[in-house]
Amino acid sequence: MKPVKVGICGLGTVGGGTFNVLKRNAEEIARRAGRGIEVAQIAQRRPNPKCDTGITPITDDVFAVVDNPEIDVVVELIGGYTVARELVMRAISNGKHVVTANKALIAVHGNEIFAKAREKGVIVAFEASVAGGIPVIKAVREGLAANRINWVAGIINGTGNFILTEMREKGRAFEDVLKEAQALGYAEADPTFDVEGIDAAHKLTILASIAFGIPLQFDKAYTEGITTLTTADVGYAEALGYRIKHLGIARSTEKGIELRVHPTLIPADRLIANVNGVMNAVMVNGDAVGSTLFYGAGAGMEPTASSVVADLVDVVRAMTSDPENRVPHLAFQPDALSDHPVLPIEACESAYYLRIQAKDHPGVLAQVASILSERGINIESIMQKEAEEHDGLIPMILLTHRVHEQHMNEAIKALESLEGVVGAVVRIRVEHLN
Ligand code: HSE
């Protein structure tokens, strides 16, 4: 049988990795796919020194690939929302299948893209868009299809996890670690996407959609970054038996779906609390299976290429099948998606870590406790440290039981207005993941 012809748009980190893996493992891949997979054209802005593209035709125009009648599958690896959207929509219009690693594109424009793909009977595969080399989309969409998914919690940004790990283990400065992550090709073109949680929110939006059968709703995701985390809080968390991780959490509740990315204290003995460096991990809790954990490299040249190539194999296997009988893009049949709402952060529920800078006066602790108890907030533990030498203030660290964010917001406002409390109260959410 003739090989399937693939056009790669973008020969950067992931594009280069994809080309190399396809070439190196060509025989093994063909044995799995049932046909060879040939890169018939590449669109690149500049050559990738890590790729020997040999005689493969090269263009600098991605649309030349999309419009090339010889190409069966377009691999979109240029990133971003604008040109990538146009490219993918045009590829679909031209009747071509698409494989993409572009989480921003899927999270923001996925509903429109999948509708168009259904109309044209083509596949849009996006395994590499979430957690790099971990086949978590396939696992949730297919492997856990028996379950009512309760929640998903993941470390789904390698750059952020790398930064937090280096800061905690080596006391390195934030900026310094970020530069290294950029040099290693982990960070997004705009690294604020990594450190402000936007990249993780893109991925979480996709995971939530395939876990709960809801449309993609990136605009409803709550995001909070890691740029304001201090080494003091990292240390206090450790002393209390926790690790701080930048977590994406999607939880199904009776009232709606929680969709939130923020720094989170996790008990240090949880496996996911020990996922370090650029590694990613996603926990998925289903009613039948219980908790599962998927771990691996969340970014990087060949780990991400591993997912892109796996998608290509899937496309090759399914391209001759009846479109109606393929695995639905978002796991659930398109006419069976639910309108269960995504909840605003104020309606979400979690436990909290609070750090209060208190004056060294009698009665401040009693006032703090009474503000929390008046709002039904149950204190789990309190740790009070020695007065700081530079300002004489006492760091008071509290862990609370689970409470609605709205109640915690009101309590924090009241705490900050106490005469004995100085400055803003630091609040970090706590999840036990059990
Ligand atoms: N910037 C992303 C990360 C790349 O650091 O996880 C993979 O999506």
Side-chain angles (χ1 to χ4, degrees):
M1 207 184 269
K2 279 204 316 201
V4 170
K5 300 213 170 178
V6 168
I8 297 180
C9 296
L11 203 71
T13 303
V14 182
T18 299
F19 181 87
N20 289 346
V21 171
L22 279 173
K23 193 165 139 190
R24 189 174 72 235
N25 296 344
E27 205 180 307
E28 203 78 345
I29 290 165
R31 283 173 60 211
R32 288 191 171 103
R35 290 170 73 176
I37 299 179
E38 178 190 320
V39 179
Q41 195 174 18
I42 295 170
Q44 64 179 33
R45 261 187 284 168
R46 62 190 80 85
N48 183 332
K50 293 189 176 144
C51 271
D52 174 9
T53 51
I55 54 160
T56 312
I58 307 275
T59 168
D60 59 2
D61 176 10
V62 286
F63 292 99
V65 175
V66 167
D67 293 336
N68 180 343
E70 282 213 333
I71 302 286
D72 305 299
V73 189
V74 171
V75 181
E76 183 280 306
L77 300 171
I78 61 171
Y81 311 86
T82 324
V83 180
R85 174 172 167 269
E86 205 187 322
L87 185 159
V88 166
M89 293 303 273
R90 193 147 128 193
I92 295 170
S93 292
N94 289 346
K96 297 185 193 306
H97 303 285
V98 175
V99 172
T100 178
N102 192 332
K103 54 260 159 157
L105 180 74
I106 296 298
V108 177
H109 298 298
N111 297 323
E112 172 198 22
I113 288 170
F114 297 139
K116 184 84 181 166
R118 275 196 306 281
E119 189 192 311
K120 300 294 289 185
V122 298
I123 303 165
V124 176
F126 52 97
E127 180 64 69
S129 66
V130 178
I134 310 174
V136 68
I137 301 276
K138 199 172 193 66
V140 176
R141 195 164 57 183
E142 298 173 48
L144 298 179
N147 289 262
R148 177 180 287 272
I149 306 286
N150 296 315
W151 52 264
V152 176
I155 296 173
I156 42 182
N157 182 267
T159 302
N161 202 41
F162 181 61
I163 292 172
L164 288 182
T165 305
E166 291 289 301
M167 284 173 74
R168 186 178 68 80
E169 289 180 354
K170 301 182 190 153
R172 289 178 64 190
F174 183 92
E175 286 301 333
D176 172 38
V177 191
L178 176 57
K179 274 198 197 113
E180 189 182 340
Q182 286 174 295
L184 289 167
Y186 302 151
E188 295 304 297
D190 176 354
T192 56
F193 274 41
D194 295 297
V195 296
E196 295 299 350
I198 299 159
D199 175 75
H202 286 144
K203 296 166 181 167
L204 185 69
T205 299
I206 298 170
L207 283 174
S209 187
I210 60 167
F212 307 126
I214 54 171
L216 295 150
Q217 294 165 77
F218 170 69
D219 55 335
K220 309 247 174 70
Y222 172 80
T223 53
E224 199 178 295
I226 54 171
T227 50
T228 54
L229 277 182
T230 65
T231 46
D233 291 313
V234 172
Y236 295 141
E238 292 262 358
L240 289 161
Y242 291 82
R243 293 265 165 87
I244 301 181
K245 290 291 180 188
H246 202 193
L247 224 59
I249 300 165
R251 191 190 308 271
S252 175
T253 75
E254 259 177 42
K255 288 193 185 138
I257 308 283
E258 297 186 358
L259 195 58
R260 48 194 170 98
V261 175
H262 47 69
T264 312
L265 267 76
I266 313 171
D269 59 2
R270 295 276 179 277
L271 281 175
I272 196 168
N274 295 282
V275 170
N276 292 318
V278 74
M279 304 308 275
N280 279 199
V282 183
M283 283 184 83
V284 184
N285 181 281
D287 67 341
V289 72
S291 284
T292 55
L293 177 68
F294 304 91
Y295 169 86
M301 195 168 184
E302 293 212 354
T304 313
S306 166
S307 287
V308 172
V309 174
D311 270 351
L312 278 170
V313 171
D314 264 358
V315 168
V316 172
R317 285 169 174 161
M319 62 201 300
T320 52
S321 66
D322 171 7
E324 296 302 312
N325 295 325
R326 291 179 187 147
V327 178
H329 292 110
L330 291 176
F332 291 70
Q333 297 299 334
D335 59 358
L337 291 187
S338 143
D339 58 3
H340 209 36
V342 173
L343 297 171
I345 188 68
E346 293 76 17
C348 295
E349 197 190 88
S350 77
Y352 289 84
Y353 161 103
L354 301 178
R355 176 163 58 82
I356 298 166
Q357 293 293 99
K359 288 184 188 165
D360 197 3
H361 291 168
V364 182
L365 181 56
Q367 287 175 322
V368 167
S370 102
I371 283 177
L372 295 175
S373 79
E374 278 161 17
R375 286 157 184 85
I377 301 174
N378 206 351
I379 299 172
E380 187 185 295
S381 64
I382 296 186
M383 181 168 81
Q384 198 171 294
K385 308 301 278 186
E386 308 259 299
E388 305 268 12
E389 264 181 31
H390 65 284
D391 57 12
L393 296 174
I394 298 193
M396 201 183 274
I397 293 103
L398 291 96
L399 291 179
T400 76
H401 286 270
R402 293 180 77 81
V403 52
H404 273 113
E405 179 105 356
Q406 178 66 40
H407 295 151
M408 184 49 81
N409 289 346
E410 287 161 15
I412 288 176
K413 208 166 157 202
L415 290 171
E416 287 174 346
S417 67
L418 285 176
E419 196 277 323
V421 169
V422 177
V425 172
V426 172
R427 159 243 306 265
I428 307 176
R429 297 168 191 85
V430 181
E431 292 291 341
H432 293 94
L433 305 178
N434 51 13

